[in-house]
Coordinates of all heavy atoms in Angstrom, one line a residue:
M30 N -17.9 19.7 -64.2 CA -18.3 19.5 -62.8 C -17.5 18.4 -62.1 O -17.2 18.5 -60.9 CB -19.8 19.2 -62.8 CG -20.4 19.3 -61.4 SD -20.3 20.9 -60.7 CE -21.2 20.7 -59.3
L31 N -17.0 17.4 -62.9 CA -16.3 16.3 -62.3 C -15.0 16.8 -61.6 O -14.7 16.3 -60.5 CB -16.0 15.3 -63.3 CG -15.3 14.0 -62.8 CD1 -16.2 13.3 -61.8 CD2 -15.0 13.1 -64.0
M32 N -14.4 17.8 -62.1 CA -13.2 18.4 -61.5 C -13.4 18.9 -60.1 O -12.7 18.7 -59.2 CB -12.6 19.5 -62.4 CG -11.4 20.2 -61.9 SD -10.8 21.5 -62.9 CE -12.2 22.6 -63.0
Y33 N -14.6 19.6 -60.0 CA -14.9 20.1 -58.7 C -15.3 19.0 -57.7 O -14.9 19.1 -56.5 CB -16.0 21.2 -58.8 CG -15.6 22.4 -59.5 CD1 -16.2 22.7 -60.8 CD2 -14.6 23.2 -59.1 CE1 -15.8 23.8 -61.5 CE2 -14.2 24.3 -59.8 CZ -14.8 24.6 -61.0 OH -14.4 25.7 -61.7
E34 N -15.9 18.0 -58.1 CA -16.3 16.9 -57.2 C -15.0 16.3 -56.7 O -15.0 15.9 -55.5 CB -17.1 15.9 -58.0 CG -18.5 16.3 -58.4 CD -19.2 15.4 -59.3 OE1 -18.7 14.3 -59.6 OE2 -20.4 15.7 -59.7
E35 N -14.0 16.1 -57.5 CA -12.8 15.5 -57.0 C -12.1 16.4 -55.9 O -11.6 16.0 -55.0 CB -11.8 15.3 -58.2 CG -10.5 14.7 -57.8 CD -10.6 13.3 -57.2 OE1 -11.6 12.6 -57.5 OE2 -9.8 12.9 -56.4
R36 N -12.2 17.7 -56.1 CA -11.6 18.7 -55.2 C -12.4 18.6 -53.8 O -11.7 18.6 -52.8 CB -11.7 20.1 -55.7 CG -10.8 20.4 -56.8 CD -10.9 21.8 -57.3 NE -10.0 22.0 -58.5 CZ -10.1 23.0 -59.2 NH1 -10.9 24.0 -58.9 NH2 -9.3 23.2 -60.2
Y37 N -13.7 18.5 -53.8 CA -14.4 18.4 -52.6 C -14.1 17.0 -51.9 O -14.1 17.0 -50.7 CB -15.9 18.5 -52.8 CG -16.3 20.0 -53.0 CD1 -16.8 20.4 -54.3 CD2 -16.3 20.9 -52.0 CE1 -17.1 21.7 -54.5 CE2 -16.7 22.2 -52.2 CZ -17.1 22.6 -53.4 OH -17.4 23.9 -53.6
R38 N -13.9 16.0 -52.7 CA -13.6 14.7 -52.1 C -12.2 14.8 -51.4 O -12.1 14.3 -50.3 CB -13.6 13.6 -53.2 CG -13.5 12.2 -52.7 CD -13.6 11.2 -53.7 NE -12.4 11.1 -54.5 CZ -11.2 10.5 -54.1 NH1 -11.2 10.0 -52.9 NH2 -10.2 10.5 -54.8
K39 N -11.3 15.5 -52.1 CA -10.0 15.6 -51.5 C -10.0 16.4 -50.2 O -9.4 16.1 -49.2 CB -9.0 16.3 -52.5 CG -7.6 16.4 -51.9 CD -6.6 16.8 -53.0 CE -5.3 16.9 -52.4 NZ -4.2 16.5 -53.3
I40 N -10.8 17.5 -50.2 CA -11.0 18.3 -48.9 C -11.5 17.4 -47.8 O -11.1 17.4 -46.7 CB -11.9 19.5 -49.2 CG1 -11.2 20.5 -50.1 CG2 -12.3 20.2 -47.9 CD1 -12.1 21.6 -50.6
G41 N -12.5 16.6 -48.2 CA -13.2 15.7 -47.2 C -12.2 14.7 -46.7 O -12.2 14.4 -45.4
L42 N -11.4 14.1 -47.5 CA -10.4 13.1 -47.1 C -9.4 13.8 -46.1 O -9.0 13.2 -45.1 CB -9.7 12.5 -48.3 CG -10.5 11.5 -49.1 CD1 -9.7 11.1 -50.4 CD2 -10.9 10.3 -48.3
N43 N -8.9 15.0 -46.5 CA -8.0 15.7 -45.6 C -8.6 16.0 -44.3 O -8.0 15.9 -43.2 CB -7.5 17.0 -46.3 CG -6.5 16.7 -47.4 OD1 -5.9 15.6 -47.4 ND2 -6.4 17.6 -48.3
L44 N -9.9 16.5 -44.3 CA -10.6 16.8 -43.0 C -10.7 15.5 -42.2 O -10.4 15.5 -41.0 CB -12.0 17.3 -43.3 CG -12.8 17.7 -42.1 CD1 -12.1 18.8 -41.4 CD2 -14.2 18.1 -42.6
C45 N -11.0 14.4 -42.8 CA -11.1 13.1 -42.1 C -9.7 12.7 -41.5 O -9.7 12.3 -40.3 CB -11.6 12.0 -43.0 SG -11.8 10.4 -42.2
Y46 N -8.7 12.9 -42.2 CA -7.3 12.6 -41.7 C -7.0 13.4 -40.5 O -6.6 12.9 -39.5 CB -6.3 12.9 -42.8 CG -4.9 13.0 -42.3 CD1 -4.2 11.8 -42.0 CD2 -4.3 14.2 -42.0 CE1 -2.9 11.9 -41.5 CE2 -3.0 14.3 -41.5 CZ -2.3 13.1 -41.3 OH -1.0 13.1 -40.7
Y47 N -7.3 14.7 -40.5 CA -6.9 15.6 -39.4 C -7.8 15.3 -38.2 O -7.4 15.4 -37.0 CB -7.0 17.1 -39.8 CG -5.8 17.5 -40.6 CD1 -6.0 17.8 -42.0 CD2 -4.5 17.5 -40.1 CE1 -5.0 18.2 -42.8 CE2 -3.5 17.9 -40.9 CZ -3.7 18.2 -42.2 OH -2.6 18.6 -43.0
R48 N -9.1 14.9 -38.4 CA -10.0 14.6 -37.4 C -9.5 13.3 -36.6 O -9.4 13.3 -35.4 CB -11.4 14.3 -37.9 CG -12.4 13.8 -36.8 CD -13.7 13.5 -37.4 NE -13.8 12.6 -38.5 CZ -13.7 11.2 -38.3 NH1 -13.6 10.7 -37.1 NH2 -13.8 10.4 -39.3
K49 N -9.1 12.3 -37.4 CA -8.6 11.1 -36.8 C -7.2 11.4 -36.1 O -6.9 10.8 -35.1 CB -8.4 10.0 -37.9 CG -9.8 9.5 -38.3 CD -9.7 8.5 -39.4 CE -11.1 7.9 -39.8 NZ -11.0 6.9 -40.8
R50 N -6.4 12.2 -36.7 CA -5.1 12.5 -36.1 C -5.3 13.2 -34.7 O -4.5 13.0 -33.8 CB -4.3 13.5 -37.0 CG -2.9 13.7 -36.5 CD -2.2 14.7 -37.4 NE -2.6 16.0 -37.0 CZ -2.1 17.1 -37.5 NH1 -1.1 17.1 -38.4 NH2 -2.5 18.3 -37.1
N51 N -6.4 13.9 -34.6 CA -6.7 14.5 -33.3 C -7.6 13.6 -32.4 O -8.1 14.1 -31.4 CB -7.5 15.9 -33.5 CG -6.6 17.0 -33.9 OD1 -6.0 17.6 -33.1 ND2 -6.5 17.2 -35.2
K52 N -7.7 12.4 -32.8 CA -8.4 11.4 -32.1 C -9.9 11.8 -31.7 O -10.3 11.7 -30.6 CB -7.7 11.0 -30.8 CG -6.3 10.3 -31.1 CD -5.6 10.0 -29.8 CE -4.4 9.2 -30.0 NZ -3.3 9.7 -30.8
M53 N -10.5 12.3 -32.7 CA -11.9 12.8 -32.5 C -12.8 11.9 -33.4 O -12.5 11.6 -34.5 CB -12.1 14.3 -33.0 CG -11.3 15.3 -32.1 SD -11.6 17.0 -32.6 CE -13.2 17.2 -31.8
T54 N -14.0 11.7 -32.8 CA -15.0 11.0 -33.6 C -15.8 12.1 -34.5 O -15.7 13.3 -34.2 CB -16.1 10.3 -32.7 OG1 -16.7 11.3 -31.9 CG2 -15.4 9.3 -31.8
Q55 N -16.5 11.6 -35.4 CA -17.3 12.5 -36.2 C -18.3 13.2 -35.3 O -18.5 14.4 -35.4 CB -18.1 11.8 -37.3 CG -17.3 11.5 -38.5 CD -18.1 10.9 -39.7 OE1 -19.2 10.4 -39.5 NE2 -17.6 11.0 -40.9
L56 N -18.9 12.5 -34.4 CA -19.9 13.1 -33.5 C -19.3 14.2 -32.6 O -19.8 15.3 -32.5 CB -20.5 12.0 -32.6 CG -21.6 12.5 -31.6 CD1 -22.7 13.1 -32.3 CD2 -22.0 11.3 -30.7
K57 N -18.1 13.9 -32.1 CA -17.4 14.9 -31.2 C -17.1 16.2 -32.0 O -17.3 17.3 -31.5 CB -16.2 14.3 -30.6 CG -15.5 15.2 -29.6 CD -14.3 14.5 -28.9 CE -13.6 15.4 -28.0 NZ -12.4 14.8 -27.4
L58 N -16.5 16.0 -33.2 CA -16.2 17.2 -34.0 C -17.4 17.9 -34.5 O -17.4 19.2 -34.4 CB -15.3 16.7 -35.2 CG -14.9 17.9 -36.2 CD1 -14.1 19.0 -35.5 CD2 -14.1 17.3 -37.3
A59 N -18.4 17.2 -34.9 CA -19.6 17.9 -35.3 C -20.3 18.7 -34.2 O -20.7 19.8 -34.4 CB -20.6 16.8 -35.8
E60 N -20.4 18.1 -33.0 CA -20.9 18.8 -31.9 C -20.1 20.1 -31.6 O -20.7 21.1 -31.3 CB -21.0 17.9 -30.7 CG -22.1 16.9 -30.7 CD -22.1 15.9 -29.6 OE1 -21.1 15.9 -28.7 OE2 -23.1 15.2 -29.4
A61 N -18.8 20.0 -31.6 CA -18.0 21.1 -31.3 C -18.2 22.2 -32.4 O -18.1 23.4 -32.1 CB -16.5 20.7 -31.3
A62 N -18.5 21.8 -33.6 CA -18.6 22.8 -34.7 C -20.1 23.3 -34.9 O -20.4 24.2 -35.6 CB -18.2 22.1 -36.0
G63 N -21.0 22.7 -34.1 CA -22.4 23.1 -34.2 C -23.1 22.6 -35.4 O -24.0 23.2 -35.9
I64 N -22.7 21.4 -36.0 CA -23.3 20.8 -37.1 C -23.7 19.4 -36.8 O -23.2 18.8 -35.8 CB -22.4 20.9 -38.4 CG1 -21.1 20.1 -38.2 CG2 -22.2 22.3 -38.8 CD1 -20.3 20.0 -39.4
S65 N -24.5 18.7 -37.6 CA -24.8 17.3 -37.3 C -23.7 16.4 -37.8 O -23.0 16.7 -38.7 CB -26.2 17.0 -38.0 OG -25.9 16.8 -39.4
S66 N -23.6 15.2 -37.1 CA -22.6 14.3 -37.5 C -22.9 13.7 -38.9 O -22.0 13.4 -39.7 CB -22.5 13.1 -36.5 OG -23.8 12.5 -36.4
T67 N -24.2 13.7 -39.3 CA -24.6 13.3 -40.7 C -24.0 14.3 -41.7 O -23.4 13.9 -42.7 CB -26.1 13.2 -40.8 OG1 -26.6 12.3 -39.9 CG2 -26.5 12.8 -42.2
Y68 N -24.1 15.6 -41.4 CA -23.6 16.6 -42.3 C -22.1 16.5 -42.4 O -21.5 16.6 -43.5 CB -24.0 18.0 -41.8 CG -23.7 19.1 -42.7 CD1 -23.8 19.1 -44.1 CD2 -23.2 20.3 -42.1 CE1 -23.5 20.2 -44.9 CE2 -22.9 21.4 -42.9 CZ -23.0 21.3 -44.3 OH -22.7 22.4 -45.1
L69 N -21.4 16.3 -41.2 CA -20.0 16.2 -41.2 C -19.5 15.0 -42.1 O -18.6 15.0 -42.8 CB -19.4 16.0 -39.8 CG -17.9 15.8 -39.7 CD1 -17.1 17.0 -40.4 CD2 -17.5 15.7 -38.3
G70 N -20.3 13.9 -42.0 CA -20.0 12.7 -42.8 C -20.1 13.0 -44.2 O -19.3 12.5 -45.0
R71 N -21.1 13.7 -44.6 CA -21.3 14.1 -46.0 C -20.1 15.0 -46.5 O -19.6 14.9 -47.6 CB -22.6 14.8 -46.3 CG -23.8 13.8 -46.1 CD -25.1 14.4 -46.4 NE -25.1 14.7 -47.8 CZ -25.6 15.9 -48.3 NH1 -26.2 16.8 -47.5 NH2 -25.6 16.1 -49.6
I72 N -19.7 15.9 -45.6 CA -18.5 16.8 -46.0 C -17.3 15.9 -46.2 O -16.5 16.1 -47.2 CB -18.3 17.8 -44.9 CG1 -19.4 18.8 -44.8 CG2 -16.9 18.6 -45.1 CD1 -19.4 19.8 -43.6
E73 N -17.0 15.0 -45.3 CA -15.9 14.1 -45.4 C -15.9 13.2 -46.6 O -14.9 12.8 -47.1 CB -15.7 13.3 -44.1 CG -15.2 14.1 -42.9 CD -14.9 13.2 -41.7 OE1 -15.1 12.0 -41.7 OE2 -14.4 13.8 -40.7
R74 N -17.1 12.9 -47.1 CA -17.2 12.1 -48.3 C -17.2 13.0 -49.6 O -17.3 12.4 -50.7 CB -18.5 11.3 -48.3 CG -18.4 10.1 -47.3 CD -19.6 9.2 -47.4 NE -20.9 9.8 -47.3 CZ -21.5 10.1 -46.1 NH1 -20.9 9.7 -45.0 NH2 -22.7 10.7 -46.1
G75 N -17.1 14.3 -49.4 CA -17.1 15.2 -50.6 C -18.4 15.4 -51.2 O -18.5 15.8 -52.4
E76 N -19.5 15.2 -50.4 CA -20.9 15.3 -51.0 C -21.5 16.6 -50.7 O -22.7 16.8 -51.1 CB -21.7 14.2 -50.4 CG -21.2 12.8 -50.7 CD -22.0 11.7 -50.0 OE1 -22.9 12.0 -49.1 OE2 -21.7 10.5 -50.2
C77 N -20.8 17.6 -50.1 CA -21.5 18.8 -49.8 C -20.7 20.0 -50.5 O -20.0 20.8 -49.8 CB -21.4 19.0 -48.3 SG -22.6 18.0 -47.4
A78 N -21.0 20.1 -51.7 CA -20.3 21.2 -52.5 C -20.7 22.6 -52.1 O -20.0 23.5 -52.3 CB -20.6 21.0 -54.0
G79 N -21.9 22.7 -51.4 CA -22.3 24.0 -51.0 C -22.0 24.4 -49.6 O -22.6 25.4 -49.1
T80 N -21.1 23.7 -49.0 CA -20.8 24.0 -47.6 C -20.2 25.4 -47.4 O -19.3 25.8 -48.2 CB -19.8 23.0 -47.0 OG1 -20.4 21.7 -47.1 CG2 -19.4 23.2 -45.6
A81 N -20.7 26.2 -46.5 CA -20.2 27.5 -46.2 C -18.8 27.5 -45.7 O -18.4 26.6 -45.0 CB -21.1 28.2 -45.2
L82 N -18.1 28.5 -46.2 CA -16.7 28.6 -45.7 C -16.6 28.7 -44.2 O -15.6 28.2 -43.6 CB -16.0 29.8 -46.4 CG -15.7 29.7 -47.8 CD1 -15.1 31.0 -48.4 CD2 -14.7 28.6 -48.1
T83 N -17.6 29.3 -43.6 CA -17.5 29.5 -42.1 C -17.5 28.1 -41.4 O -16.9 28.0 -40.4 CB -18.7 30.3 -41.6 OG1 -19.9 29.7 -42.0 CG2 -18.6 31.7 -42.0
V84 N -18.2 27.1 -42.0 CA -18.1 25.8 -41.5 C -16.7 25.2 -41.5 O -16.2 24.7 -40.6 CB -19.2 24.8 -42.2 CG1 -19.0 23.4 -41.7 CG2 -20.6 25.3 -42.0
Y85 N -16.1 25.4 -42.7 CA -14.7 24.9 -42.8 C -13.8 25.6 -41.9 O -12.9 25.0 -41.3 CB -14.2 25.1 -44.3 CG -14.8 24.1 -45.3 CD1 -15.6 24.6 -46.3 CD2 -14.6 22.7 -45.2 CE1 -16.2 23.7 -47.2 CE2 -15.2 21.9 -46.1 CZ -16.0 22.3 -47.1 OH -16.5 21.5 -48.0
W86 N -14.0 26.9 -41.7 CA -13.1 27.6 -40.8 C -13.3 27.2 -39.4 O -12.3 27.0 -38.6 CB -13.4 29.1 -40.9 CG -12.8 29.8 -42.1 CD1 -11.7 29.5 -42.8 CD2 -13.4 30.9 -42.8 NE1 -11.5 30.3 -43.9 CE2 -12.6 31.2 -43.9 CE3 -14.5 31.6 -42.6 CZ2 -12.8 32.2 -44.8 CZ3 -14.8 32.6 -43.6 CH2 -13.9 32.9 -44.6
R87 N -14.5 26.9 -39.0 CA -14.8 26.4 -37.6 C -14.1 25.0 -37.4 O -13.5 24.8 -36.4 CB -16.3 26.2 -37.4 CG -16.9 27.4 -36.6 CD -18.3 27.1 -36.3 NE -19.1 27.5 -37.4 CZ -20.3 27.0 -37.8 NH1 -20.8 26.0 -37.1 NH2 -20.9 27.4 -38.9
L88 N -14.2 24.2 -38.4 CA -13.6 22.8 -38.3 C -12.1 22.9 -38.2 O -11.5 22.3 -37.4 CB -14.0 22.0 -39.5 CG -15.5 21.6 -39.6 CD1 -15.8 21.0 -41.0 CD2 -15.9 20.6 -38.5
C89 N -11.5 23.8 -39.0 CA -10.1 24.1 -38.9 C -9.7 24.6 -37.5 O -8.6 24.1 -37.0 CB -9.6 25.0 -40.0 SG -9.7 24.3 -41.7
D90 N -10.4 25.5 -37.0 CA -10.1 26.1 -35.7 C -10.1 25.0 -34.6 O -9.2 24.9 -33.8 CB -11.1 27.2 -35.3 CG -10.8 28.5 -36.1 OD1 -9.7 28.6 -36.7 OD2 -11.7 29.3 -36.1
I91 N -11.1 24.1 -34.7 CA -11.3 23.1 -33.7 C -10.1 22.1 -33.8 O -9.6 21.6 -32.8 CB -12.6 22.4 -33.8 CG1 -13.8 23.3 -33.5 CG2 -12.7 21.1 -33.0 CD1 -15.1 22.9 -34.0
L92 N -9.8 21.7 -35.0 CA -8.7 20.8 -35.3 C -7.3 21.4 -35.2 O -6.3 20.7 -35.3 CB -8.9 20.1 -36.7 CG -10.1 19.3 -36.8 CD1 -10.3 18.9 -38.3 CD2 -10.1 18.0 -35.9
E93 N -7.3 22.7 -35.0 CA -6.0 23.5 -34.9 C -5.1 23.2 -36.2 O -4.0 22.9 -36.1 CB -5.3 23.1 -33.6 CG -6.1 23.5 -32.4 CD -5.4 23.1 -31.1 OE1 -4.4 22.4 -31.1 OE2 -5.8 23.6 -30.1
I94 N -5.8 23.4 -37.3 CA -5.1 23.4 -38.6 C -5.3 24.6 -39.4 O -6.3 25.4 -39.1 CB -5.5 22.1 -39.4 CG1 -7.0 22.1 -39.8 CG2 -5.1 20.8 -38.7 CD1 -7.4 21.1 -40.7
R95 N -4.5 24.9 -40.3 CA -4.7 26.0 -41.2 C -5.7 25.7 -42.3 O -5.8 24.5 -42.7 CB -3.4 26.5 -41.9 CG -2.3 26.9 -40.9 CD -1.0 27.1 -41.5 NE -0.6 25.9 -42.3 CZ 0.2 25.9 -43.3 NH1 0.7 27.0 -43.8 NH2 0.5 24.8 -44.0
F96 N -6.5 26.6 -42.7 CA -7.5 26.4 -43.8 C -6.9 25.8 -45.0 O -7.4 24.8 -45.6 CB -8.1 27.8 -44.1 CG -9.3 27.6 -45.1 CD1 -10.5 27.1 -44.7 CD2 -9.1 28.1 -46.4 CE1 -11.5 27.0 -45.6 CE2 -10.1 28.0 -47.3 CZ -11.4 27.4 -46.9
Q97 N -5.7 26.2 -45.4 CA -5.0 25.7 -46.5 C -4.6 24.2 -46.4 O -4.4 23.6 -47.4 CB -3.9 26.6 -47.0 CG -2.8 27.0 -46.0 CD -3.2 28.2 -45.3 OE1 -4.3 28.5 -44.9 NE2 -2.2 29.1 -45.1
D98 N -4.5 23.7 -45.2 CA -4.2 22.3 -45.0 C -5.2 21.4 -45.6 O -5.0 20.2 -45.9 CB -4.0 22.0 -43.5 CG -2.8 22.6 -42.9 OD1 -1.9 22.9 -43.6 OD2 -2.8 22.8 -41.6
L99 N -6.4 21.9 -45.7 CA -7.5 21.0 -46.3 C -7.3 20.8 -47.8 O -7.9 19.9 -48.4 CB -8.9 21.7 -46.1 CG -9.4 21.8 -44.7 CD1 -10.7 22.5 -44.6 CD2 -9.5 20.4 -44.0
F100 N -6.5 21.6 -48.4 CA -6.3 21.6 -49.9 C -5.0 20.9 -50.3 O -4.7 20.8 -51.5 CB -6.3 23.0 -50.4 CG -7.6 23.7 -50.2 CD1 -7.7 24.5 -49.1 CD2 -8.6 23.5 -51.1 CE1 -8.9 25.1 -48.8 CE2 -9.9 24.2 -50.8 CZ -10.0 25.0 -49.7
K101 N -4.2 20.3 -49.3 CA -3.0 19.6 -49.7 C -3.2 18.4 -50.4 O -4.2 17.7 -50.3 CB -2.2 19.3 -48.4 CG -1.6 20.6 -47.7 CD -0.8 20.2 -46.5 CE -0.2 21.4 -45.8 NZ 0.5 21.0 -44.7

């Protein structure tokens, strides 16, 4: 399970990087994606292993990045 936790943490760090690169706060991105800022914070910290792919796709669309960019 530890291997997967590291992957979610990396996805979260990448998401945080792209959010900051777009000069967005967690609140602004979360509102645009229709999720709470608390939930977005948990995603960025890699604490939400059960996050639906549709949430990630929405976040990517808003940030104008490719889905695979989260896995770099």
Side-chain angles (χ1 to χ4, degrees):
M30 189 66 171
L31 186 59
M32 175 179 63
Y33 293 115
E34 290 172 5
E35 183 62 27
R36 290 177 183 173
Y37 283 109
R38 192 177 73 74
K39 183 170 182 143
I40 290 168
L42 289 172
N43 287 335
L44 183 61
C45 181
Y46 165 79
Y47 287 111
R48 175 180 59 78
K49 289 179 179 180
R50 189 183 77 172
N51 281 278
K52 297 179 173 58
M53 294 184 83
T54 63
Q55 281 186 340
L56 181 61
K57 185 176 177 183
L58 179 57
E60 287 177 347
I64 60 175
S65 73
S66 59
T67 302
Y68 186 41
L69 178 58
R71 292 186 64 224
I72 293 171
E73 287 187 354
R74 290 189 302 276
E76 298 173 358
C77 288
T80 300
L82 288 176
T83 54
V84 173
Y85 287 116
W86 286 327
R87 261 186 277 152
L88 293 168
C89 289
D90 287 345
I91 294 162
L92 295 172
E93 298 179 346
I94 61 173
R95 298 172 306 153
F96 184 74
Q97 50 271 45
D98 291 336
L99 294 178
F100 300 92
K101 289 183 179 179

